[in-house]
Amino acid sequence: MTEQPTSFERPQAGADPADGRGALLHTSKPPRTTGAAALPVQARTGEPPSGPGTPLTSGSGPEHAQPSAAEPDTHRPRPAPEAVPDGPGAEQERPGGERRTGQRLPGGGPLPMRRDGDRLRFVGAATRRIARGLDLDEIVMGLCRATVPTFSDAILVYLREPLPVGDERPVGPLVLRLRRTDRIPAERDTEGGFMPPPVPEQPSELSVVTNELCEVRPGSALGEVLRGVRPVFTDTPSARAALAELLGEGSELAVPGGQRAILAPLRGRRRVIGAALFLRRPERLAFEPDDLLVAAQLATHSALGIDKAVLYGREAYIADELQRTMLPETLPRPTGVRLASRYLPAAETARVGGDWYDAIPLPGSRVALVVGDVMGHSMTSAAIMGQLRTTAQTLAGLDLPPQEVLHHLDEQAQRLGTDRMATCLYAVYDPVSHRITIANAGHPPPVLLHLGGRAEVLRVPPGAPIGVGGVDFEAVELDAPAGATLLLYTDGLVESRLRDVWTGIEQLREKLSATAQLTGPDHPPPLEALCDEVLDMLGPGDRDDDIALLAARFDGIAPSDVAYWFLEPEDSAPGRARRLARRALARWGLEELTDSVELLVSEVVTNAVRYASRPVTLRLLRTDVLRCEVGDDVPQLPRLRQARATDEGGRGLYLVNRLARRWGATRLSTGKVVWFELNRS
């Protein structure tokens, strides 16, 4: 006899196309109820799961009706689930074209499998269906769809709440929650040619008294059944007591008597993670002892699949959290430049990668723009990316030149391992001088979109990737005109298996020019919309790699909003600083800030000239706030401290901290800068 696989989703003649469970037949006359014992209602998506005691048959209408045993069988057989063979009661073909016809029950349900070959084929097909699931819901649904109606008429699946992950040892009590129920829907005939629309199932009153959450007490009947691991029939007193504990008091009466219910523990690799209850109608033949082996196989494969799904879910969660923490949560808002960014993973199955971007505020209202790409798509690549990003932030805080930053990143990559390689582009933008300094380590060149709509690929030295070792990096200084937009990106945006990197760069340049033409020559495109337009150039086959994108719109600071002086380190420097600041504020129309600025400038300059050996710099910047910067050649940073009542000094920074909107101190390669900001109104 050859296997005749049938598709669970293939409709037959007279099937209701709205019913996703198979070919359900309709009738023009209401069938009579059978008085069969109540079984659970199938849970549907978007509805709360029905309780284990929800009756499978009802006399309320044709939706839940079953034909009487006294009536002739006018129903056609329901198709079995996908790749699950019919029971021996179905018509099958022998080799050579000979056919045999088995008997079916008066209720129209398939006969139980009586031969070892039938059971083996069923178990093989059912386990394949269960193994296809990747997440928890897919595996549980695969178990339900594989067993109903071929093996049972209804199934209830309880899972531990919460499910343990890997080797972790739960400390709380064992609690089972009803995860899903499934059952054979009511069938209807179509003899009269009338097919009424499907009626939604209504929750049964028994669902109110059914346990959706069950705590397994140590030493209880249910606890003993779960400890036994093997499936059991529920016709013994101990099993009936376990059933009452699982379903709730009184709900076990809705379960058919005899060997028509199997309670199977679900055991993962280390512990019990749930239980499955297989049920058959009273008009169907009872389970046989060999069916316990079938239930054991189904429970084992389902439990192992659930264990793997939970582990996969935890790994996906860790990957998402790792990626979220590795990339900047928000971008800073430095003076004279606006920023926008995007990050796209390569695919749903590769949630983490080695691409990163960053924007780091620097002294003097400058900002460092960084984008990099570590080889590979794994947790290791993401971890290396995080270390390199942290190193780049530390080096940027030292205000090193871009080529020096790449040199130290190269040394760090070599310390991490011989095969730790990455590409990186590091740029520093100065809004006062309207210049940008760029150093490259094997990364695709940036694209600069000018205000008139012209997009150009900047000529920067290519350099060698980080991690090669023994190479020198060069920096180039270029104009950064106001209104221009610099686009930094990783190779996933411009390179794929369908195009080479230079073809992709040319397409990116053309896309930027076309987008800029839409807003006219005098208005640059909105930064966020520009990023979205750039990502729209990706085709269906272009997502071979993750993508990091950083866009910077250069606004700059006008020369009229900058005042800059050199002060000799002498006792008269604080007084001269107060006079210069007063004149600048009068020129800008900010006389209301004169008293506060004179006091704070005097305190900061006094601290600088006390230890400096070279001229001290004083700079005032008028933007949305008033910023004052005092630089000297002493690398030690000042610290805020509470002065004692007998101290003659030590209160300058305390005044700055109380009166300024913000303040800080940054170490430079030639000294330090102390700055503070005041609101203009």
Side-chain angles (χ1 to χ4, degrees):
M1 181 178 66
T2 59
E3 180 181 354
Q4 284 279 22
T6 58
S7 174
F8 187 72
E9 287 75 18
R10 182 178 60 222
Q12 296 179 349
D16 183 358
D19 196 322
R21 291 298 312 274
L24 305 185
L25 307 182
H26 302 265
T27 180
S28 58
K29 57 182 180 179
R32 295 177 297 160
T33 59
T34 63
L39 292 180
V41 174
Q42 175 186 5
R44 296 183 179 272
T45 305
E47 297 180 4
S50 58
T54 306
L56 221 162
T57 60
S58 172
S60 59
E63 175 66 25
H64 303 284
Q66 290 293 329
S68 171
E71 291 182 353
D73 183 12
T74 58
H75 294 282
R76 301 179 184 179
R78 282 171 46 82
E82 179 184 356
V84 179
D86 279 330
E91 198 174 77
Q92 296 184 352
E93 182 176 288
R94 295 177 179 272
E98 180 184 355
R99 305 178 70 89
R100 66 170 180 82
T101 303
Q103 297 180 352
R104 304 187 68 83
L105 289 175
L111 282 170
M113 292 165 286
R114 288 194 165 186
R115 289 177 300 279
D116 292 339
D118 292 338
R119 289 189 173 89
L120 288 176
R121 282 191 295 272
F122 166 73
V123 170
T127 52
R128 285 193 299 270
R129 182 161 191 163
I130 294 170
R132 284 201 298 263
L134 292 178
D135 59 22
L136 183 61
D137 290 332
E138 288 180 352
I139 293 173
V140 174
M141 182 180 295
L143 171 64
C144 295
R145 295 294 174 86
T147 56
V148 178
T150 306
F151 182 69
S152 64
D153 295 326
I155 183 175
L156 290 84
V157 181
Y158 282 83
L159 294 182
R160 190 165 187 159
E161 179 79 12
L163 279 168
V165 180
D167 296 332
E168 70 179 22
R169 306 179 70 87
V171 295
L174 173 57
V175 177
L176 300 180
R177 179 181 290 276
L178 181 63
R179 183 78 184 194
R180 183 180 177 85
T181 65
D182 206 355
R183 63 120 183 160
I184 299 178
E187 299 181 274
R188 290 163 289 187
D189 199 1
T190 57
E191 280 187 359
F194 172 67
M195 297 180 65
V199 180
E201 294 176 288
Q202 301 297 326
S204 168
E205 296 178 357
L206 286 177
S207 62
V208 179
V209 298
T210 298
N211 278 346
E212 215 175 281
L213 201 65
C214 169
E215 179 177 346
V216 182
R217 297 180 301 274
S220 64
L222 180 58
E224 292 300 319
V225 171
L226 296 180
R227 284 183 56 191
V229 177
R230 298 184 180 278
V232 296
F233 292 121
T234 61
D235 56 346
T236 63
S238 59
R240 297 297 287 187
L243 200 60
E245 184 180 348
L246 179 66
L247 303 182
E249 291 296 334
S251 297
E252 79 280 4
L253 300 178
V255 177
Q259 294 183 352
R260 288 183 173 82
I262 296 178
L263 181 58
L266 301 178
R267 183 175 180 84
R269 282 180 290 270
R270 296 184 180 274
R271 60 186 65 85
V272 173
I273 61 174
L277 182 62
F278 303 93
L279 302 168
R280 281 185 180 176
R281 290 190 179 102
E283 68 269 18
R284 185 170 173 179
L285 292 182
F287 288 110
E288 298 179 358
D290 288 343
D291 291 328
L292 292 177
L293 301 178
V294 175
Q297 287 290 323
L298 297 176
T300 299
H301 283 275
S302 300
L304 293 178
I306 291 171
D307 249 0
K308 293 178 181 178
V310 172
L311 284 172
Y312 174 77
R314 174 61 63 89
E315 290 180 359
Y317 171 78
I318 294 174
D320 290 340
E321 287 296 306
L322 179 63
Q323 189 69 64
R324 184 184 63 81
T325 55
M326 290 299 181
L327 296 175
E329 187 173 349
T330 58
L331 291 174
R333 295 183 178 181
T335 303
V337 61
R338 286 172 286 171
L339 303 172
S341 63
R342 295 290 187 275
Y343 176 81
L344 293 179
E348 184 67 20
T349 55
R351 302 192 180 202
V352 293
D355 291 13
W356 91 91
Y357 62 88
D358 215 341
I360 309 167
L362 299 177
S365 299
R366 297 171 300 151
V367 59
L369 307 174
V370 191
V371 65
D373 183 5
V374 178
M375 291 193 312
H377 303 92
S378 63
M379 293 285 190
T380 302
S381 301
I384 295 173
M385 176 265 285
Q387 296 180 69
L388 293 180
R389 179 179 175 234
T390 302
T391 303
Q393 289 179 330
T394 304
L395 296 172
L398 299 176
D399 198 35
L400 298 178
Q403 64 272 21
E404 289 295 324
V405 172
L406 294 184
H407 174 72
H408 289 293
L409 283 176
D410 179 62
E411 293 180 339
Q412 175 68 10
Q414 294 179 67
R415 285 190 290 268
L416 295 177
T418 56
D419 58 344
R420 310 308 190 194
M421 298 182 63
T423 63
C424 182
L425 191 144
Y426 188 94
V428 176
Y429 169 65
D430 189 345
V432 177
S433 64
H434 296 266
R435 304 281 288 178
I436 187 168
T437 305
I438 305 175
N440 190 16
H443 203 79
V447 179
L448 184 65
L449 177 63
H450 293 270
L451 185 59
R454 180 175 63 92
E456 65 169 325
V457 180
L458 298 182
R459 297 180 178 272
V460 296
I466 291 173
V468 173
V471 297
D472 191 21
F473 298 99
E474 301 180 29
V476 59
E477 188 173 353
L478 304 171
D479 288 330
T485 303
L486 184 69
L487 203 70
L488 308 179
Y489 53 90
T490 56
D491 58 356
L493 180 65
V494 295
E495 185 180 21
S496 70
R497 61 178 179 271
L498 302 179
R499 61 183 179 185
D500 61 84
V501 61
W502 289 108
T503 301
I505 293 175
E506 181 62 23
Q507 292 178 0
L508 173 61
R509 189 190 66 79
E510 295 174 355
K511 182 69 174 179
L512 290 174
S513 297
T515 304
Q517 297 298 327
L518 300 177
T519 57
D522 300 329
H523 301 282
L527 206 55
E528 296 291 340
L530 181 65
C531 292
D532 294 334
E533 288 292 330
V534 168
L535 294 181
D536 284 343
M537 65 178 283
L538 297 172
D542 296 340
R543 292 289 301 280
D544 299 333
D545 196 2
D546 48 340
I547 299 171
L549 177 65
L550 179 63
R553 174 72 44 78
F554 300 142
D555 294 332
I557 300 176
S560 59
D561 293 329
V562 181
Y564 192 84
W565 304 279
F566 286 95
L567 304 174
E568 292 296 329
E570 54 191 23
D571 295 341
S572 61
R576 183 167 180 258
R578 289 193 296 269
R579 291 192 299 270
L580 294 174
R582 186 186 312 116
R583 294 172 187 173
L585 294 177
R587 185 171 65 250
W588 291 336
L590 300 176
E591 290 86 352
E592 67 275 7
L593 298 179
T594 300
D595 293 340
S596 298
V597 172
E598 284 189 8
L599 176 60
L600 299 184
V601 165
S602 178
E603 293 293 338
V604 176
V605 171
T606 299
N607 289 338
V609 300
R610 180 176 299 175
Y611 306 103
S613 58
R614 295 181 181 180
V616 175
T617 61
L618 171 63
R619 186 166 73 169
L620 296 181
L621 301 174
R622 182 184 64 169
T623 58
D624 54 339
V625 297
L626 179 67
R627 182 181 177 97
C628 175
E629 299 174 350
V630 177
D632 58 61
D633 61 344
V634 180
Q636 286 79 17
L637 299 180
R639 300 299 179 192
L640 181 65
R641 65 182 181 87
Q642 187 69 38
R644 292 173 297 183
T646 57
D647 291 343
E648 295 183 359
R651 295 175 177 83
L653 288 181
Y654 179 77
L655 292 175
V656 174
N657 184 65
R658 292 298 300 270
L659 298 179
R661 172 179 175 266
R662 287 196 312 157
W663 78 279
T666 306
R667 183 178 287 110
L668 305 178
S669 56
T670 57
K672 69 174 181 295
V673 168
V674 179
W675 57 270
F676 64 85
E677 294 177 351
L678 294 173
N679 293 322
R680 292 177 53 179
S681 58

